[in-house]
Structures are given as C-alpha cells and as structure tokens.
Amino acid sequence: MKYKLFAGILGFLAAGTISAQEQEQGQDKSLYLKGNALFAPIGILNVGVEKQLSPKYTIQGDVFISPWKSFAGHKLQFYSASVEGRYYFKEAFKHWYIGANLSMAYYNAQKWNYWNDGVFLTDDGDRVKNSDIYQKGYSVMLGVTGGYQFQLSDRWNLDIYATVGTSQGFYKGYDSTTGKRYDGAEKFNKSGEIIPYRGGVMISYKLK
C-alpha cells in the first residue's frame, strides 16, 4: 500500500510538471543555490540547487556529506544525493509546498540507538557493547516532503522542510573491537522502515 501511495505522488508530480512545462515554454525560470544552515555548524555539508519549471513546479537536487570518521566517539560518515519534484500551492519559491523525493545514500556509521553502553546479543550468541558496533552499507529512500519558504528579500529565501518515507537498507554490521561481523549474514543484511530521513533549514540565494 505504501509503495502505491508513493508511486501515485511521483506520478502526480511528474504529470503536472510535464503539463506545466508545455504551457510555459517562454517564461523565464528562477534558479536558487541553497545551503543547510542546520548542519553547517557541526561540519556537515548539505547543498543543492532548485530550478523553477513552471509557475508552481520546481525540481531540486542536493547532496549531503557527513565526513566524520569519529563524532563524539561514534562513526558518522554519510554520503547521499537526492532529487525532488515540488509543487507550490501559491507560486514557486513562496510559502507552502509538497514534494516527492528519491534519495540514495552510502554510510559507515553507528545508528543513534546504539549510542549507549547497553549490551547487544549477536547472532552467534556473543555479548558486545552497543557502543562498539556500527553499520556499513547503502540505502535507497523514497518519501514525501512538506515545507514552507519565506521570502527574506528579492534574492534571499529561507526554506524549512522535512521528508518522511520508506528506507530500504543493505548493510554489514561490525564489532569495532574485533573487526568481525556481528549480524551473522553471509552478504548484506537488509532492513526496511518508514522514517523521517531529511530535513533542515535551507538558506537560498537566487542566481537568476
């Protein structure tokens, strides 16, 4: 059911975008360069561009880079790229919008719920500390974005947004003290869940 919902949203945005482009071939389209102010203070880079396709439709591409081999004693390396179609209820780059997002990510990190000294029981029956295990792999994510853009001036915008959707992960779990796998899988372990996986406060500058 959830996949049909996401597919329907993507189809709606795609159909609307194609129709709007056909109607607005001669119109000048705005282009914004964006950076996430929420993550920049801790050394995580999240930048993108948002291009207007029609009076109410835009498309955005962005990258997220967390280079931390160790952050507060935990692995926190994430590298992701996403593409998103957006529909603005009033007009492009103004006020409320919804969007359909597709993202891919590679990670070498420790899940937040293992940031403690609890005990984890491996598939082989061994007991290891939560804080000693981490995961390495990749994910494919499909979700719905909701947000609001404030116009600060003729060229500056503030974009507040969040994305929730399905995340399909393929990873290998390791014990950092021994370098051995703790999950017992022969190749990749797999997991799927509905989670919030994007969000922030983007400072946007109009290039044209």
Side-chain angles (χ1 to χ4, degrees):
M1 179 65 182
K2 61 186 179 183
Y3 302 107
K4 291 181 179 179
L5 174 63
F6 291 129
I9 293 171
L10 284 172
F12 164 75
L13 289 170
T17 300
I18 293 171
S19 175
Q21 282 184 294
E22 291 175 348
Q23 296 174 13
E24 302 292 334
Q25 291 293 329
Q27 181 184 355
D28 291 335
K29 310 298 192 304
S30 296
L31 176 68
Y32 279 79
L33 178 66
K34 319 177 76 170
N36 200 326
L38 192 62
F39 297 108
I42 56 174
I44 295 177
L45 179 68
N46 182 201
V47 296
V49 292
E50 185 176 1
K51 171 67 175 176
Q52 183 179 4
L53 300 177
S54 74
K56 292 187 176 183
Y57 282 89
T58 69
I59 186 167
Q60 175 172 301
D62 63 82
V63 295
F64 181 95
I65 300 173
S66 174
W68 295 99
K69 293 182 178 180
S70 178
F71 183 87
H74 307 280
K75 291 179 180 292
L76 192 63
Q77 288 183 293
F78 282 90
Y79 305 91
S80 73
S82 73
V83 61
E84 181 170 284
R86 291 181 171 183
Y87 171 78
Y88 286 81
F89 295 100
K90 185 176 181 180
E91 62 179 276
F93 308 108
K94 290 184 179 180
H95 309 317
W96 293 105
Y97 62 84
I98 60 170
N101 179 271
L102 175 65
S103 298
M104 297 190 67
Y106 166 82
Y107 54 88
N108 181 6
Q110 186 180 62
K111 292 182 179 180
W112 65 269
N113 51 319
Y114 295 131
W115 287 25
N116 59 68
D117 290 325
V119 175
F120 182 88
L121 185 64
T122 71
D123 289 350
D124 294 330
D126 297 326
R127 297 168 69 88
V128 297
K129 286 174 32 177
N130 280 345
S131 56
D132 287 335
I133 62 178
Y134 67 96
Q135 298 76 35
K136 186 176 181 179
Y138 65 94
S139 294
V140 179
M141 294 156 285
L142 178 65
V144 178
T145 298
Y148 190 94
Q149 281 213 40
F150 298 88
Q151 279 196 298
L152 304 178
S153 69
D154 289 341
R155 288 195 173 270
W156 293 95
N157 275 15
L158 186 69
D159 182 6
I160 301 175
Y161 70 98
T163 304
V164 62
T166 176
S167 174
Q168 302 300 311
F170 305 85
Y171 66 91
K172 298 178 180 180
Y174 295 94
D175 178 355
S176 62
T177 62
T178 63
K180 296 180 180 179
R181 292 187 64 177
Y182 69 79
D183 51 15
E186 292 185 5
K187 295 183 179 180
F188 284 98
N189 206 345
K190 300 176 183 179
S191 66
E193 52 193 345
I194 299 292
I195 57 171
Y197 65 87
R198 291 174 71 249
V201 179
M202 286 279 197
I203 305 296
S204 305
Y205 177 75
K206 186 177 181 180
L207 296 176
K208 69 174 185 177

